[in-house]
């Protein structure tokens, strides 16, 4: 006859007064977190005890029960109850639900260990669903966070998972998608787009990194730190119906503006209003754009604001303060000991004098009537105003004689204009008896003007003699050349130099983004600093003679540099000029690496064929790195190549000093079209990518897991 299996009998449950319980020394949890025990006490106070204590009776020397019970499993709950007793929120003799273990089959240490080892933390998806249920019940984020002693950010992160497609959450539940990938998908609320991205990357493990998922989901958006987004502002964008994507699991710098077209329209609308505001200040014209090409002010004269003039009352006050300061300063200079009171007074008077010097700068209203301004966005998203530019057609014109040989409509500097003074015509500051130089003077006692041929011959001799004299004085020759260069650089329509030196300065305005390069900004700042100091063209010679040698050399270098042209043009190879440019660079110790150039998608990698991208990586990082990207699509290949080439000092061929090789390299063609794609799109492995912070995914989502089990067994 078969023997029946003995059934398992559960340990009985009893209510035991708290003052009859003691903490067992066999409890394996030795390290106790006082903070979480405080939180556990608050949780028990809110919802009462959810899990019984595991206790054993304390025996006397004869093996009899003493009526006291020790707690080997549930020590944190026991200590939390003790806190409530101390706070007089719980009676000392309050019955506590306990499971009493009187069997000797297991030890107290084993029970304590088993309770902690066999416990499993709540799955993040379950926690998300629970938080969502509480939210649906009417609890807000802050209240949920307070009840479970987690941060509001943790609750928002869990609830953010609601934006992930249920299909993807189901895959996550089946362990087919990792938690950090689900977190990346939560950037977008578009379930269809999420599923489309997963379908694209699901068959290639190298493309499943969280950073790449975020990139695909935000590739048509505009980052919140983009200058256009900063200029419009998140509040105005959202008020216009725009949506901002946020990543609660990563630092996203404000997120992404989803509707790029709407943002662009808002930028233009705001720029238009700002431009109208600037024009209302009295300018003849205002042009507004997100950015202007480099050299957009070429050919325009610039006028500058001057410090506001002092009125009579301010002049009187300035004179009084200056006199008081000078007198006190002279007195203090004769004193043998320092006097703090006098020093403070001098500081006070000096600050007041500085206030007179630091007056607001204003433009002459008459200059505004012929000048205009450019309104654009700076890199920081703030509006920038470049004002005081006079177009050639707006330059003031003087009255000219009908038979003036130069009256052919060519632009000239105001100093060259012929002005009717009532006594005659002034040309370049000289009176010519009311006639032009070419006009015939009335005869006086039979003396006629010199024949033109004779004048030519005589002045030719003068020219050679002056050339010879100039050649013997290097300093004056330097100033003379500098004068000719400055006239052409700062006074575009002035022709007041006797030197037949022509300078050309190409602005390369067709090159996108050139104005934002650090070199363009530095040149513009240097040019504006000199431009502010420039006198009228007819006073330029004296101005240059008055400069110290170092300033003259600096101005000469600036002007000469603007004529340098090392551009390779298919219709104008200029091998000698390009070789000279390399010689200049070599003498200067110049190269584009130290100048700060690095290959990016915008300036190189996105504009060449896939073969050239791979070749660049091969040259800089070797064959192994090249093989990592050679099977990718063009756009992805360019981005990852830019990442690999960072800090490699690699230069595109035209930027290297050997111009001949650079020109030859431009003739190389690739049989493969730019947009050719290969099957099996791939992405760099995770160990080559520094986008994702390994400590930011798992650790962030894990915050607060213990709080979900505040009353779990020890």
């Amino acid at each position: 006859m078969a023997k029946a299996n003995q059934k398992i009998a559960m340990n009985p449950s009893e209510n035991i007064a708290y003052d009859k319980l003691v903490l067992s020394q066999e409890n394996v949890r030795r390290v106790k977190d006082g903070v979480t025990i405080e939180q556990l006490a608050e949780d028990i106070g809110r919802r009462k005890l959810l899990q019984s204590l595991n206790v054993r009776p304390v025996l006397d020397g004869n093996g009899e029960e003493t009526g006291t019970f020790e707690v080997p499993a549930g020590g944190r709950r026991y200590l939390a109850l003790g806190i409530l007793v101390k706070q007089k929120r719980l009676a000392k003799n309050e019955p506590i639900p306990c499971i009493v273990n009187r069997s000797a089959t297991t030890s107290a240490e084993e029970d304590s260990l088993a309770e902690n080892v066999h416990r499993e933390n709540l799955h993040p998806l379950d926690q998300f669903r629970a938080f969502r249920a509480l939210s649906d019940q009417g609890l807000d984020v802050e209240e949920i966070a307070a009840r479970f002693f987690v941060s509001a950010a943790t609750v928002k992160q869990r609830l953010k998972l609601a934006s992930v497609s249920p299909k993807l959450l189901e895959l996550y539940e089946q362990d087919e998608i990792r938690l950090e990938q689900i977190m990346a998908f939560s950037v977008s609320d578009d379930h269809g787009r999420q599923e489309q991205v997963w379908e694209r990357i699901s068959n290639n493990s190298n493309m499943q990194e969280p950073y790449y998922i975020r990139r695909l989901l935000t590739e048509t958006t505009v980052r919140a730190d983009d200058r256009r987004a900063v200029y419009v502002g998140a509040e105005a964008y959202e008020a216009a119906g725009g949506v901002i994507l946020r990543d609660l699991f990563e630092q996203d710098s404000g997120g992404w503006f989803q509707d790029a077209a709407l943002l662009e329209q808002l930028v233009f609308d705001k720029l238009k209003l700002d431009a109208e505001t600037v024009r209302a200040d009295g300018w003849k014209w205002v042009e507004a754009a997100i950015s202007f090409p480099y050299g957009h002010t070429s050919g325009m004269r610039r006028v500058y604001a001057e410090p506001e003039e002092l009125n009579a009352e301010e002049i009187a006050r300035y004179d009084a303060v200056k006199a008081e300061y000078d007198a006190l300063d002279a007195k203090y200079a004769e004193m043998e000991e320092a006097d703090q009171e006098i020093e403070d007074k001098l500081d006070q008077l000096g600050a007041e004098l500085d206030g007179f010097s630091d007056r607001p700068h204003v433009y002459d209203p008459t200059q505004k009537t012929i000048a205009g301004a450019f309104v654009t966005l700076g890199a920081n998203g703030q509006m920038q105003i470049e004002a005081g530019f006079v177009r050639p057609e707006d330059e003031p014109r003087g009255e000219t004689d009908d038979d003036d040989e130069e009256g052919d409509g060519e632009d000239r500097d105001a100093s060259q204009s012929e002005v009717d003074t009532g006594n005659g015509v002034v040309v370049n500051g000289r009176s010519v008896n009311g006639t032009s130089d070419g006009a015939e003077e009335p005869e006086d006692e039979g003396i006629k003007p010199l024949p033109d041929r004779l004048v030519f011959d005589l002045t030719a001799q003068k020219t050679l003699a002056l050339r010879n004299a100039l050649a013997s004085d290097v300093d004056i020759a330097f100033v003379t050349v500098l004068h000719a260069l400055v006239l052409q650089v700062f006074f575009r329509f002035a022709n007041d130099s006797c030197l037949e030196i022509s300078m050309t300065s190409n602005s390369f305005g067709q090159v996108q983004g050139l104005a934002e390069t650090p070199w363009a900004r530095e040149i513009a700042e240097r040019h504006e600093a000199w431009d502010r100091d420039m006198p009228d063209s007819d006073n330029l010679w004296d101005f240059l003679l008055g400069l110290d040698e170092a300033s003259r050399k600096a101005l000469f270098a600036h002007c000469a540099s603007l004529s340098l042209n090392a551009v390779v043009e298919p219709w104008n190879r200029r091998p000698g000029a390009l070789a000279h440019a390399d010689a200049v660079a070599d003498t200067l110790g110049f190269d584009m690496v130290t100048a700060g150039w690095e290959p990016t998608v915008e300036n190189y990698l996105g504009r060449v064929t896939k073969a050239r991208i791979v070749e660049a990586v091969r040259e800089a990082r070797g064959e192994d790195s090249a093989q990592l990207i050679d099977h990718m699509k063009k756009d992805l290949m360019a981005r990852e190549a830019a990442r690999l080439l960072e800090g490699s000092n690699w230069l595109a061929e035209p930027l290297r000093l050997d111009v001949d090789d650079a020109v030859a390299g431009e003739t190389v063609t690739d049989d493969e079209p730019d947009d050719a794609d290969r099957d099996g799109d791939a992405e760099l492995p995770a160990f080559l990518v520094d986008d994702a912070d390994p400590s930011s995914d798992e650790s962030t989502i894990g915050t607060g897991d213990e709080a979900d089990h505040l009353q779990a067994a020890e």
Side-chain angles (χ1 to χ4, degrees), residues 3 49 68 175 226 244-245 343 407 421 451 511 574 578 660:
K3 186 177 181 180
L49 198 63
T68 302
D175 292 330
D226 183 275
I244 298 180
L245 305 181
E343 289 182 1
T421 63
V511 180
R574 305 183 305 137
L578 296 177
D660 291 338

Side-chain angles (χ1 to χ4, degrees), residues 367-412:
Q367 292 178 331
K368 285 187 174 182
T369 61
I370 64 170
F374 294 97
V375 177
T376 185
L377 300 185
N380 59 357
Q382 302 301 312
M383 182 179 68
Q384 290 185 348
I385 302 174
E386 296 176 321
F389 292 94
V390 183
R391 291 167 171 165
E393 60 269 23
D394 294 329
E395 290 284 3
R397 298 280 189 262
E399 296 181 9
T400 59
D401 292 337
D402 291 339
D403 27 5
D404 179 7
E405 294 178 357
E406 295 185 17
D408 54 2
E410 292 183 358
D411 295 313
R412 290 174 295 159

Side-chain angles (χ1 to χ4, degrees), residues 485-498:
L485 294 178
V486 171
L487 281 173
Q488 296 179 65
V489 171
F490 293 94
F491 305 89
R492 183 177 177 85
F493 303 100
N495 298 309
D496 296 341
S497 174
C498 62

